[in-house]
Amino acid sequence: MVSNKNSYAIKGNIIYSTTPDQLVLIENGYAVCENGICGGAFAKLPEKYNGIQVKDYGDRLVIPGLVDLHMHAPQYGLRGFGMDLELLDWLNTYTFPEEEKYAKEEYAKKAYGMFTEELKKSPTTRACIFATIHRDATKILMDLLEKTKLRTMVGKVNMDRNAPEYLCESTEESAAQTLQWLKEMQGQYKYVEPILTPRFIPSCSDSLMKTLGEIQKSQHLPVQSHLSENEGEIAWVKELCPAAGFYGEAYEHAGLFGNGCKTVMAHCVSSVEEEIALIKRNGVYVAHCPQSNMNLSSGIAPIRKYLDEGLHVGLGSDLAGGSSMSMFRAMSDAIQVSKLYWRMWDQSASPLNVKEAFYLATKGGGEFFGKIGSFESGYEFDVLVIEDESIWHPQELGLLERLERVIYLGDADNIVEKIVAGEII
């Protein structure tokens, strides 16, 4: 019999994924937490859990926490700005001037305070986050995130070319500042981890990428960046890196593209066949950011193809290319753009359905963090308890229908409880 004070069960309508097309629905069921780890989900509480504390949420939905694989914290204040521009023009007109402001500690505290407060209230329980080049501001962001108890990976951004002077460090300075940042944060955080963050190939020289590859190898850090997002960007990379046969190979040459280096690449809208094969071979994760790809006119990533190929795929809000932080919105957007891709581009690529989008936002993206995003035994116990009675409807609905309505109509106000690794947030 389990009788640990750090163990408990949640009772409600349990919903979770095991595979992209397999959704488990347990009406009035139980999900068990044992010291932050899921002991399983059950229609009836097993005898070994007799006497355990049960938190009864009645008819509410109980789902795994949602995972955002790609967002830019300093762009929080840019939501809804410049959405008539494409990527490179948007960066130069809006993003870079905004990120310059984070050189000032007062501004960083104010803006990051707003960002972390909204993230804490959102459906997101795990996130991969870009900061700026500024070491001190990045530490401010990490300090604020630590207080939320969300599990996050945060990166000091690296840039040494093709950006305004105020956002460009020298190659040596960028590497030195990164190493100093890593040194200063050792032992300082329980919930926040570092992730190496070369912004993208156009803003990082070959020498900087090589140095970052050496840092990764010595410190065994994960990596996040952008890949094949925009046609103009892809053409630019061909000019900058003639030795690379395609965009992803430029990361590969630096040792920053999977193959023992845990890597997540955002977008992959226009990846060529050779790049897709390398993504698969090296175990690189794809962060699909549908809203951003619409807002910045980048296109539609062929997510059906990626799933059929067996790639690791999750979802990202890409704040602020994406104007919403909500992973509910990311799921609905992923479904909708896949319908356009199918109808207008490739009728052999069937649209994503609700089950698949839910998988991407939970277990699909969660696996970048480990055993995350499911109520299968052994997974970390990340939970959202959702009330959907406020989403009015006159008819009787099944659990899958209720989940679908939350995906399309839910927001932060529908979250009754948020739990990360067994801790109530």
Side-chain angles (χ1 to χ4, degrees):
M1 181 179 294
V2 175
S3 59
N4 192 295
K5 66 177 182 179
N6 295 320
S7 299
Y8 58 89
I10 285 183
K11 187 174 187 291
N13 295 305
I14 312 296
I15 304 174
Y16 66 98
S17 297
T18 54
T19 66
D21 58 1
Q22 183 63 48
L23 197 64
V24 177
L25 306 167
I26 308 176
E27 191 170 352
N28 297 317
Y30 300 83
V32 175
C33 176
E34 297 184 54
N35 299 306
I37 303 299
C38 188
F42 312 96
K44 182 180 178 181
L45 201 61
E47 185 176 342
K48 69 175 181 177
Y49 296 116
N50 284 350
I52 198 173
Q53 179 188 7
V54 176
K55 301 176 186 290
D56 191 343
Y57 290 97
D59 192 43
R60 287 168 172 169
L61 305 180
V62 178
I63 66 174
L66 305 185
V67 179
D68 190 334
L69 280 185
H70 183 69
M71 63 193 318
H72 295 260
Q75 295 177 19
Y76 177 79
L78 290 181
R79 293 167 303 154
F81 285 175
M83 297 290 95
D84 54 346
L85 300 177
E86 290 191 40
L87 171 67
L88 298 178
D89 289 336
W90 183 73
L91 289 173
N92 287 312
T93 304
Y94 289 98
T95 304
F96 291 157
E98 176 66 16
E99 292 192 7
E100 178 189 15
K101 299 173 184 176
Y102 287 80
K104 297 180 179 179
E105 183 176 311
E106 183 179 356
Y107 190 84
K109 287 180 177 178
K110 178 180 179 181
Y112 282 150
M114 294 176 180
F115 165 79
T116 53
E117 184 64 22
E118 182 159 340
L119 185 65
K120 182 178 179 179
K121 295 176 181 178
S122 78
T124 299
T125 52
R126 311 253 172 172
C128 294
I129 303 172
F130 281 57
T132 63
I133 68 165
H134 310 101
R135 191 180 87 239
D136 290 342
T138 302
K139 288 166 57 183
I140 289 170
L141 173 60
M142 297 173 81
D143 289 344
L144 290 167
L145 285 167
E146 180 75 5
K147 294 176 182 177
T148 69
K149 296 186 179 182
L150 302 176
R151 302 310 195 262
T152 57
M153 295 185 185
V154 175
K156 176 211 168 299
V157 170
N158 296 105
M159 303 170 69
D160 71 340
R161 68 176 179 182
N162 295 324
E165 184 177 345
Y166 54 75
L167 280 186
C168 261
E169 302 170 300
S170 69
T171 303
E172 295 75 19
E173 183 184 12
S174 185
Q177 288 291 317
T178 298
L179 287 170
Q180 183 64 25
W181 164 65
L182 291 169
K183 181 180 179 181
E184 289 174 352
M185 66 166 294
Q186 286 182 358
Q188 298 300 307
Y189 301 101
K190 179 179 178 181
Y191 306 115
V192 186
E193 300 177 38
I195 183 168
L196 279 180
T197 307
R199 186 179 206 110
F200 64 164
I201 291 296
S203 67
C204 297
S205 68
D206 290 349
S207 58
L208 177 57
M209 292 296 289
K210 180 181 178 182
T211 302
L212 292 176
E214 292 168 354
I215 293 173
Q216 190 285 324
K217 189 175 181 179
S218 67
Q219 303 207 24
H220 309 289
L221 296 170
V223 172
Q224 61 180 351
S225 196
H226 302 83
L227 180 65
S228 298
E229 177 179 359
N230 170 279
E231 293 292 346
E233 168 207 19
I234 294 169
W236 196 10
V237 171
K238 287 182 179 179
E239 295 177 7
L240 293 169
C241 304
F246 48 87
Y247 197 159
E249 204 168 58
Y251 290 106
E252 168 83 347
H253 289 168
L256 298 173
F257 203 70
N259 193 25
C261 164
K262 182 179 284 189
T263 304
V264 58
M265 289 284 162
H267 305 298
C268 303
V269 171
S270 301
S271 294
V272 296
E273 291 297 332
E274 295 88 346
E275 187 166 90
I276 295 169
L278 186 62
I279 290 171
K280 180 177 181 179
R281 186 163 64 249
N282 286 9
V284 171
Y285 282 72
V286 174
H288 177 38
C289 306
Q291 187 180 153
S292 173
N293 297 156
M294 289 187 286
N295 284 342
L296 299 178
S297 303
S298 297
I300 303 172
I303 299 304
R304 169 60 61 208
K305 178 180 179 65
Y306 294 165
L307 290 176
D308 289 348
E309 291 278 351
L311 271 60
H312 298 292
V313 183
L315 296 179
S317 64
D318 194 22
L319 196 70
S323 50
S324 172
M325 189 185 290
S326 174
M327 296 309 292
F328 293 143
R329 174 69 186 269
M331 283 188 272
S332 62
D333 284 342
I335 295 168
Q336 291 170 329
V337 299
S338 74
K339 293 176 181 178
L340 294 176
Y341 188 90
W342 165 71
R343 176 61 70 189
M344 303 184 72
W345 187 256
D346 182 358
Q347 294 195 8
S348 70
S350 58
L352 297 178
N353 57 42
V354 169
K355 293 179 181 179
E356 291 168 323
F358 184 74
Y359 173 87
L360 295 181
T362 55
K363 189 175 179 179
E367 288 182 340
F368 186 75
F369 286 82
K371 297 187 75 172
I372 305 296
S374 179
F375 292 139
E376 296 167 271
S377 179
Y379 276 67
E380 291 191 53
F381 200 68
D382 292 6
V383 181
L384 296 178
V385 179
I386 307 293
E387 68 83 9
D388 63 334
E389 56 263 34
S390 61
I391 306 175
W392 288 1
H393 58 90
Q395 68 276 67
E396 293 293 324
L397 300 177
L399 292 188
L400 181 57
E401 294 167 318
R402 291 171 63 183
L403 175 65
E404 183 174 15
R405 284 170 59 85
V406 168
I407 288 172
Y408 279 92
L409 303 174
D411 59 28
D413 291 339
N414 296 102
I415 301 172
V416 174
E417 197 80 273
K418 186 173 180 177
I419 300 170
V420 184
E423 289 191 75
I424 294 175
I425 301 300

